[in-house]
């Protein structure tokens, strides 16, 4: 008969699952912003004209003479994705909670994810209730941007330790990253205002922001240029530092993405803001948020991932 000592302790896999689910949360949070842009450019924002129901008395799309079936499917699909993200985020929190020894920072970041999805759904519902008012759409996107940023930090936290952070760059470079983050936020806000004044409001009857689009585009473009300049200065200073591979990868990715975004934005404005390019531009914006967050995270070292405790093996019960 086997004894307790002969039964190997099975390592807990909570840390592994936190990594997997944190990556899934980050990807799906970015994806819902992209699908939201599809809703907007196809005019499907009121495909489900009520919230939380799709139509009065129905949680799912139903045949309606005034609402195209395609618009219903697109809007309902976006809402369904919110539920999927919620389950993934909840699973990530449960996995983080089960890690032993307990990692408070990881748990806090993981907890933000399901709570953020709830807030995201409420803001989305408000957007529908106010008939896609431009300011509500802007707030909805910025809420998603914050969650993407935090999801990237959760992903980073799942792959590092919990020691006090030690800078791998100079304090001046860290301050430069603070400025870069502030410019990123301003750049995103300006982008939402360009969208608010532009032709893709989510519904043909949605009032647009009454500001001159060329001026808004200029402000957005200047902020993109500021991001590029700050990134260039950071790169010059990076040559005299001892960057980690992770920091170098994040920096190179940020350079490539922001230049691609700038080129894409210029092209889409020059040829009349076609829907496909709008979706690609939103996709690029989510990637810029992620790499900027990772650039911030990689500028500090928190040590290796702590070894996870294995559960105590119990002796089998004799038959």
């Amino acid at each position: 008969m086997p004894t307790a000592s002969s039964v190997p302790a099975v390592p807990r896999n909570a840390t592994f699952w936190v990594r997997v689910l944190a990556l899934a949360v980050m990807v799906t949070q970015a994806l819902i912003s992209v699908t939201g842009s599809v809703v907007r450019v196809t005019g499907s924002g009121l495909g489900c004209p009520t919230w939380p129901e799709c139509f009065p008395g129905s949680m799912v799309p139903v045949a309606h003479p005034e609402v195209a079936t395609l618009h219903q499917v697109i809007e309902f699909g976006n809402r369904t994705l919110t539920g999927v993200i919620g389950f993934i985020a909840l699973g990530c929190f449960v996995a983080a909670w089960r890690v032993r020894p307990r990692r408070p920072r990881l748990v806090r970041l993981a907890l933000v994810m399901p709570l953020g999805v709830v807030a995201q759904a409420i803001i989305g519902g408000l957007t529908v209730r106010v008939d896609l008012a431009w300011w509500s759409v802007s707030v909805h996107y910025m809420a998603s941007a914050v969650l993407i940023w935090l999801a990237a930090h959760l992903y980073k936290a799942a792959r590092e330790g919990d020691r006090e952070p030690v800078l791998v760059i100079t304090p001046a470079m860290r301050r430069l990253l603070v400025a870069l983050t502030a410019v990123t936020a301003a750049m995103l806000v300006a982008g939402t205002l360009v969208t608010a004044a532009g032709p893709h409001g989510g519904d043909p009857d949605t009032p647009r922001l009454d500001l001159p689009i060329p001026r808004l585009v200029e402000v957005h473009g200047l902020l993109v240029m500021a991001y590029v300049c700050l990134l260039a200065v950071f790169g010059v200073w990076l040559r005299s530092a001892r960057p980690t591979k992770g920091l170098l990868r994040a920096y190179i990715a940020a350079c490539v993405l922001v230049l691609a975004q700038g080129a894409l934005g210029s092209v889409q404005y020059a040829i009349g803001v076609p829907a496909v390019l709008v979706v690609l531009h939103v996709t690029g914006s989510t990637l810029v948020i992620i790499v900027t967050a990772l650039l911030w995270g990689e500028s500090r070292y928190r040590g290796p991932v702590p070894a996870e405790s294995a559960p105590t093996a119990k002796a089998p019960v004799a038959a």
Side-chain angles (χ1 to χ4, degrees):
M1 179 181 297
T3 62
S5 60
S6 66
V7 178
V10 180
R12 297 180 66 178
N13 293 320
T15 299
F16 168 77
W17 283 110
V18 171
R19 293 176 189 170
V20 172
L21 292 171
L23 177 60
V25 169
M26 183 174 68
V27 171
T28 51
Q29 279 291 357
L31 181 59
I32 199 167
S33 292
V34 176
T35 59
S37 70
V38 174
V39 171
R40 195 168 64 242
V41 299
T42 58
S44 304
L46 295 178
C48 287
T50 62
W51 188 89
E53 296 176 316
C54 183
F55 282 88
S58 176
M59 296 297 295
V60 299
V62 295
H64 195 285
E66 297 180 3
V67 183
T69 300
L70 179 61
H71 290 172
Q72 293 186 43
V73 170
I74 292 174
E75 168 62 12
F76 184 73
N78 189 56
R79 293 189 183 189
T80 303
L81 182 58
T82 301
V84 172
I85 298 174
F87 279 114
I88 296 173
L90 185 59
C92 188
F93 169 67
V94 171
W97 181 262
R98 293 186 62 217
V99 171
R100 294 293 184 274
R102 181 67 51 78
R103 301 180 57 191
R105 176 170 172 265
L106 187 64
V107 171
R108 288 194 298 269
L109 281 170
L111 177 60
V112 169
M113 294 300 107
L115 295 180
V117 172
V118 172
Q120 209 171 20
I122 293 173
I123 295 172
L126 173 65
T127 302
V128 173
R129 292 295 183 92
V130 298
D131 295 328
L132 310 181
W134 69 264
W135 57 266
S136 66
V137 176
S138 296
V139 169
H140 197 199
Y141 174 79
M142 289 308 300
S144 295
V146 170
L147 287 175
I148 293 169
W149 174 273
L150 293 174
H153 282 287
L154 171 62
Y155 174 66
K156 179 69 170 61
R159 298 170 55 248
E160 65 184 1
D162 299 307
R163 298 177 188 172
E164 285 297 314
V166 177
L167 285 179
V168 299
I169 56 176
T170 65
M173 293 173 72
R174 184 68 175 181
R175 288 192 290 271
L176 195 65
L177 283 183
V178 173
L180 187 71
T181 301
V183 168
T184 302
M187 184 171 65
L188 294 171
V189 171
T192 67
L193 296 181
V194 173
T195 299
H200 303 295
D203 186 81
D205 298 325
T206 299
R208 312 309 297 134
L209 173 62
D210 189 18
L211 287 176
I213 294 178
R215 300 291 84 76
L216 293 173
V217 171
E218 286 176 5
V219 171
H220 184 57
L222 287 173
L223 288 167
V224 173
M225 291 174 63
Y227 184 103
V228 172
C229 290
L230 289 172
L231 207 58
V233 174
F234 186 85
V236 171
W237 289 355
L238 197 61
R239 296 179 62 185
S240 59
R242 291 186 176 181
T244 62
K245 290 182 179 179
L247 181 60
L248 282 175
R249 284 195 296 265
Y251 176 75
I252 292 170
C255 291
V256 171
L257 284 169
V258 74
L259 291 175
Q261 272 291 87
L264 180 59
S266 299
V267 170
Q268 73 170 4
Y269 179 67
I271 63 177
V273 202
V276 172
L277 292 190
V278 171
V279 175
L280 289 176
H281 198 56
V282 171
T283 303
S285 72
T286 64
L287 296 176
V288 168
I289 296 169
I290 290 171
V291 296
T292 306
L294 293 178
L295 191 61
W296 176 280
E298 293 289 353
S299 68
R300 300 186 293 182
Y301 179 68
R302 290 180 174 269
V305 178
E308 189 173 357
S309 303
T312 303
K314 297 182 180 180
V317 178

